[in-house]
Amino acid sequence: MIDLRPFDRLGRFRNEWLDANYHFSFSGYHDPHRMGEGALRVWNDDTIQPHTGFPPHGHQSMEIITYVRKGAITHKDSMGNTGRTEAGDVQVMSAGAGVQHSEWNADDETCQLFQIWILPREQGGQPGWGTRQFPKGDRSGKWTVFAAKDGEDDALPIKQDAKVMGATLCAGDTLDYEITPGRHGYLVLAAGSVSLNGHILKARDGAAITGAETLELKGLQDAEIVFVDTI
């Protein structure tokens, strides 16, 4: 089953530096029908103004994946890690038993990103952080795995039976994916427009996929896709 989540129907939060859109219940937005998809708990679409961001705060027992769509985000944490992740690239933080971190747009350009939270297979454990470049040209017309269970598929490691993937699709090109029984999928279009099994998705629209399903994507405009397959 495919359930479309148009961008203009997402939860929303606005203040002077943050424009946030929530695919699932988060913070002050609550929808009992949007509490997550399998182990996927959060998918936020954030726009962060220059020289602003999230001050130090804590997390535990969560796998946090950040996909930068525009600009860059600078990360600092209590493990001593500091790093800058640019548009098209990915960072992963395993919160484990507990970690403090900040996410800051240190640049002069607006930062746009997706932040994805996945519940780990076990509570606690050793926290960790990493970032990697994923050139868009390398994922043209095919899936590239950004993050996966224990670093499978040469991806950044997460502590759950899940894959976070991306692809770019030229107008007129097609791409398939098979959701197997017992798993869940969630797809968000970062840019462009596609047909998903006959449904039209525009930039920043989402789609929840529950149960066995063959996904057939066709580019209507040049498109950038981010997708999670999880238990």
Side-chain angles (χ1 to χ4, degrees), residues 50-118:
H51 307 290
T52 65
F54 299 94
H57 59 283
H59 294 282
Q60 63 180 16
S61 296
M62 193 66 73
E63 305 299 291
I64 300 175
I65 303 97
T66 303
Y67 179 84
V68 181
R69 297 172 49 234
K70 177 184 176 183
I73 197 74
T74 297
H75 166 99
K76 293 184 179 181
D77 64 43
S78 55
M79 297 176 283
N81 298 304
T82 300
R84 183 174 179 272
T85 303
E86 299 182 351
D89 300 334
V90 178
Q91 68 173 14
V92 168
M93 186 176 74
S94 290
V99 64
Q100 292 277 326
H101 80 137
S102 64
E103 300 292 335
W104 197 259
N105 178 8
D107 291 35
D108 296 330
E109 178 184 14
T110 296
C111 174
Q112 295 180 340
L113 56 81
F114 293 150
Q115 190 164 96
I116 298 162
W117 295 13
I118 297 175

Side-chain angles (χ1 to χ4, degrees), residues 16 26 30 36 42 71 81-82 90 95-96 135 144 152 162 164 196 210 217:
E16 65 276 7
F26 187 83
H30 179 77
V42 168
N81 298 304
T82 300
V90 178
T144 293
E152 293 177 351
V164 181
L196 170 63
T210 305
L217 290 149

Side-chain angles (χ1 to χ4, degrees), residues 142-191:
K142 63 181 181 181
W143 297 108
T144 293
V145 182
F146 301 146
K149 179 181 69 174
D150 303 326
E152 293 177 351
D153 299 303
D154 191 31
L156 290 162
I158 54 176
K159 299 173 183 177
Q160 182 54 277
D161 181 8
K163 291 183 179 181
V164 181
M165 296 172 282
T168 58
L169 202 58
C170 294
D173 288 350
T174 60
L175 182 64
D176 296 339
Y177 191 85
E178 192 79 23
I179 299 284
T180 57
R183 297 188 68 84
H184 302 261
Y186 201 83
L187 183 149
V188 180
L189 204 58

Side-chain angles (χ1 to χ4, degrees), residues 8-22:
D8 61 4
R9 298 183 189 175
L10 302 181
R12 284 185 166 78
F13 172 82
R14 305 286 188 275
N15 65 15
E16 65 276 7
W17 62 270
L18 176 66
D19 180 346
N21 301 272
Y22 305 138

